[in-house]
Amino acid sequence: MTAAIETKELTKWYGHHARGIIDVDLVVEAGQIFGFLGPNGAGKSTTIRLLLDLIRPTSGSARVLGLDVRRDRLEIDRRTSYVPGELSLYSDLTGRQLLTYLGNLQGKVDADYREKLIERLELDPAKKIKSMSRGNKQKVGLVAAFMIRPDLLILDEPTAGLDPFVQLEFEHLCEEVRTDGRTVFISSHQLPEVEHLCDRVGIIREGRLLAVEAISTLKERALRKLEIDFGGPVKAEAFANLPGVRDLSINGQVLSCTVMGSVDALVKAASRFEVVNLRSMETSLEEIFLAYYGTGDDAAKEAGHAAA
Amino acid sequence: MLLRNVFTKTVRDLRWPTFWISLGMAGMTGYFAVLFPTYSKIFNISDMLKKMGDAGKLFGVTGDATTLAGFLHIELFSMILPALMVVLVAGMASGFTAGEESRGTIDILLSYPISRRRMVLEKVLAVTLAAFAAAIAVWVFGLLGAAASATALPADNLAAALLMLVLLGLAFGAVALAIAAATGNRAASIGAAVGLLVVMYLVDAVSNIVDGLRTVQPLSLFHYYMGGDPLRNGVSLADAGVLSAVAIVFLAVALIAFERRDLAA
Ligand SMILES: Nc1ncnc2c1ncn2[C@@H]1O[C@H](COP(=O)(O)OP(=O)(O)OP(=O)(O)O)[C@@H](O)[C@H]1O
Ligand SMILES: [Mg+2]
């Protein structure tokens, strides 16, 4: 099966000194929701605009839906949709006029589906774009992107400005796209915003792709701090060599440790004693990411050295 | 429905500025055509021209003002109409790529199955239509005015002069488009087109007075626009060819430059 997105050593310099992205090798399999994460200026929008052929790479290449981003542009445009990070729409049109225009540019649009989307996102399409709030404009962009039922949606920070209700509806829409076997590519600043939605995430920092991981893998690596209060004294030997358990210490009737992955073995060992209380503190995926790939400062330094 | 494609959307965007500028151009023409007999009775125009001499030439006052055609040439076709036409066409053309870029709508537009070249060509088609619409309005008002004052005005020669006017507008429009497409800078594009208009106007006007400058006169597009006196002689194919060629060459430059560039976010 061809990848939805595949880049090879994709590099963009704006002029000689301004770094866009450097040697990005990214593969996004079809049928996934993929999160593209990175702080401000990391190169998310640069990568996306290269995929859309709005800017041209300094070196390297990119394919979308197995097609060359330059040569097969129109075929890609027919099968993908895009919501830019800084969304600008023709402000003298109403929402409905804009959707009509964009639908006509696309060719055929399922009008019933469009109306359903307008309803689900609670968009008032009779308003002029220029009198819409940021979130409402964003909704217009999202309706336009979803209404053509593309094979790939490329969404640059799509949830900025959306209220929680619309955000939830947006997530449902993404999940429906995945159920159809189609692909969603979402950029974001924050892992918590997309971790429950995405199958995989890639993290980009200082123009370099640092890692791509399945959310499930990250969750397996999730570290939990556990504390167990017992009804009486316990022996340390009973908890020796449990898989995934680290930093074990017993202090009177209280056991504390860190567990990576499943807590099954630890809980079974503890069940031989009287358990009074059990406290679990999960570290966020964000922390895991940072633990694996260094803090911002370190990564920045590394990237700086590598570029020099 | 004006939201069918880029061409019709551009027609929609241009309809009001085109309407107002056309109305201005046509209104002035009709006004002069209606009042021409009165004017020529009150003032002896030919005498005035002789008195003005070279100074008059600088303001486009050349030729024969005893006919309505000659009068329109002096009063309108030498300066006001070309200025308005260039403002109309070049002003619009400068916004085609640079306007979409600076407003940020280019990202969305080009994410639909429309090539950069097609986008530009559809918009160029729309502005060409606008230029012809303005010319037709002038033609209609001019002939109506002439009929109202019972003055002779050859319809074919007026059409010929208006064709040259359209071609002049398209040539300057293509220059503006090329600059906008290559730089993404709308202000630079308009500035350069208007600057060029003024310089070329002066080169042409001054060359009519100073004999030494005759050799540089062909560098000015104005030379091809009214040089053959289309209001009297009809279309000069050679002159029309030069203006068309300039328009086509700069359109090609615009297409190539726009195709190669990184577009502004
Ligand atoms: N047109 C440009 N000219 C020069 N530098 C640019 C240009 N566009 C982007 N950059 C630089 O490229 C780098 C990556 O920018 P990009 O917009 O891709 O980041 P981003 O990850 O989308 O950030 P954000 O989260 O703020 O949207 C930044 O350092 C930015 O300053
Ligand atoms: Mg961005």
Side-chain angles (χ1 to χ4, degrees):
Chain A
M1 192 164 180
T2 51
I5 295 173
E6 187 171 9
T7 69
K8 287 212 175 75
E9 294 175 17
L10 193 61
T11 301
K12 177 67 186 177
W13 288 88
Y14 295 100
H16 288 293
H17 302 288
R19 183 264 313 147
I21 56 170
I22 302 166
D23 286 339
V24 169
D25 289 294
L26 177 68
V27 178
V28 176
E29 297 296 342
Q32 306 190 327
I33 301 176
F34 188 96
F36 194 45
L37 297 170
N40 288 132
K44 302 180 296 294
S45 299
T46 298
T47 307
I48 287 172
R49 296 187 85 241
L50 285 165
L51 295 177
L52 281 139
D53 195 41
L54 292 164
I55 53 175
R56 305 284 162 58
T58 308
S59 62
S61 64
R63 298 181 82 76
V64 168
L65 302 169
L67 302 161
D68 185 89
V69 289
R70 184 86 191 265
R71 221 186 43 231
D72 308 317
R73 186 70 245 153
L74 297 186
E75 179 61 16
I76 293 175
D77 286 340
R78 259 173 229 120
R79 294 173 52 195
T80 58
S81 61
Y82 165 51
V83 178
E86 284 163 39
L87 179 63
S88 303
L89 304 167
Y90 300 103
S91 55
D92 56 322
L93 300 182
T94 65
R96 186 172 297 289
Q97 286 173 325
L98 186 86
L99 292 172
T100 304
Y101 181 48
L102 297 180
N104 287 337
L105 294 181
Q106 179 67 29
K108 258 213 167 96
V109 169
D110 177 348
D112 289 344
Y113 186 54
R114 183 190 62 209
E115 294 312 306
K116 211 172 280 170
L117 287 169
I118 288 174
E119 228 167 84
R120 284 178 67 177
L121 293 178
E122 298 193 334
L123 174 70
D124 174 6
K127 259 195 179 172
K128 286 219 171 185
I129 303 279
K130 65 176 150 224
S131 65
M132 284 186 186
S133 67
R134 175 171 149 76
N136 281 322
K137 271 183 226 166
Q138 194 71 18
K139 289 188 207 170
V140 177
L142 289 174
V143 172
F146 280 95
M147 73 179 180
I148 63 169
R149 289 207 175 89
D151 291 330
L152 170 67
L153 284 114
I154 298 177
L155 310 173
D156 197 355
E157 292 176 41
T159 53
L162 296 184
D163 65 48
F165 170 81
V166 178
Q167 196 152 339
L168 199 66
E169 202 55 47
F170 163 75
E171 287 169 10
H172 291 323
L173 287 171
C174 289
E175 280 154 7
E176 288 165 23
V177 169
R178 173 173 55 194
T179 310
D180 283 358
R182 300 181 283 129
T183 313
V184 185
F185 183 85
I186 302 179
S187 83
S188 173
H189 292 127
Q190 294 179 50
L191 186 58
E193 201 177 274
V194 293
E195 67 176 57
H196 52 284
L197 180 63
C198 295
D199 304 295
R200 286 172 85 79
V201 288
I203 192 162
I204 184 168
R205 186 168 276 156
E206 299 282 319
R208 288 174 189 274
L209 188 66
L210 296 183
V212 177
E213 292 284 3
I215 291 281
S216 56
T217 313
L218 285 175
K219 286 204 167 136
E220 275 163 26
R221 289 187 190 158
L223 292 175
R224 263 186 210 80
K225 285 208 177 74
L226 271 182
E227 282 187 0
I228 307 177
D229 298 345
F230 291 101
V234 291
K235 290 201 200 80
E237 301 89 77
F239 297 96
N241 298 324
L242 291 176
V245 176
R246 294 190 222 161
D247 311 324
L248 186 104
S249 70
I250 292 172
N251 201 338
Q253 301 183 358
V254 180
L255 175 151
S256 58
C257 66
T258 326
V259 184
M260 185 170 168
S262 168
V263 296
D264 184 62
L266 178 72
V267 170
K268 285 193 170 133
S271 68
R272 284 178 280 165
F273 305 92
E274 187 200 348
V275 176
V276 177
N277 192 11
L278 189 149
R279 285 180 299 276
S280 164
M281 287 157 289
E282 192 171 344
T283 52
S284 72
L285 291 191
E286 189 108 36
E287 285 172 76
I288 303 162
F289 240 129
L290 295 179
Y292 274 91
Y293 305 112
T295 63
D297 286 350
D298 289 349
K301 265 181 222 140
E302 271 167 41
H305 283 308
Chain B
M1 188 62 176
L2 287 177
L3 296 170
R4 271 233 65 78
N5 53 42
V6 176
F7 166 69
T8 57
K9 167 76 161 61
T10 311
V11 168
R12 185 183 188 277
D13 293 342
L14 302 187
R15 64 187 187 225
W16 289 116
T18 305
F19 175 79
W20 290 116
I21 292 185
S22 301
L23 191 67
M25 290 167 69
M28 278 190 289
T29 311
Y31 172 82
F32 278 116
V34 168
L35 292 185
F36 174 68
T38 322
Y39 264 107
S40 45
K41 256 178 236 150
I42 299 174
F43 310 106
N44 187 335
I45 297 174
S46 297
D47 254 20
M48 279 170 62
L49 282 185
K50 270 184 211 123
K51 277 184 211 140
M52 283 170 85
D54 280 354
K57 283 185 185 170
L58 205 52
F59 297 98
V61 182
T62 55
D64 163 29
T66 57
T67 64
L68 175 54
F71 184 65
L72 290 180
H73 184 171
I74 294 166
E75 290 292 338
L76 294 176
F77 278 89
S78 62
M79 197 146 82
I80 297 175
L81 290 184
L84 286 174
M85 183 58 96
V86 168
V87 165
L88 176 77
V89 179
M92 290 169 176
S94 69
F96 286 169
T97 62
E100 299 260 4
E101 281 188 87
S102 59
R103 282 196 300 273
T105 46
I106 194 106
D107 269 44
I108 280 275
L109 179 58
L110 289 181
S111 75
Y112 284 82
I114 290 164
S115 65
R116 294 186 186 190
R117 178 190 307 177
R118 173 135 186 211
M119 170 196 136
V120 172
L121 286 177
E122 290 197 21
K123 289 180 175 233
V124 166
L125 193 61
V127 81
T128 306
L129 199 69
F132 275 104
I136 290 169
V138 172
W139 189 75
V140 170
F141 276 52
L143 291 182
L144 287 178
S149 62
T151 318
L153 181 61
D156 51 348
N157 287 352
L158 181 60
L162 287 168
L163 176 67
M164 301 308 281
L165 181 68
V166 167
L167 292 178
L168 182 79
L170 293 179
F172 276 102
V175 171
L177 180 69
I179 295 168
T183 62
N185 187 334
R186 185 167 189 186
S189 157
I190 296 180
V194 171
L196 198 63
L197 178 77
V198 171
V199 168
M200 285 191 164
Y201 176 80
L202 288 177
V203 166
D204 189 60
V206 173
S207 321
N208 281 334
I209 307 166
V210 186
D211 279 343
L213 280 176
R214 291 231 186 250
T215 46
V216 299
Q217 198 167 19
L219 289 178
S220 167
L221 291 179
F222 273 85
H223 176 63
Y224 306 97
Y225 158 57
M226 282 287 123
D229 203 352
L231 275 164
R232 203 194 311 234
N233 305 325
V235 171
S236 148
L237 284 182
D239 288 350
V242 170
L243 292 177
S244 308
V246 169
I248 288 169
V249 166
F250 278 93
L251 173 59
V253 169
L255 290 174
I256 293 167
F258 192 56
E259 190 62 44
R260 299 162 73 98
R261 239 182 74 233
D262 280 356
L263 301 179

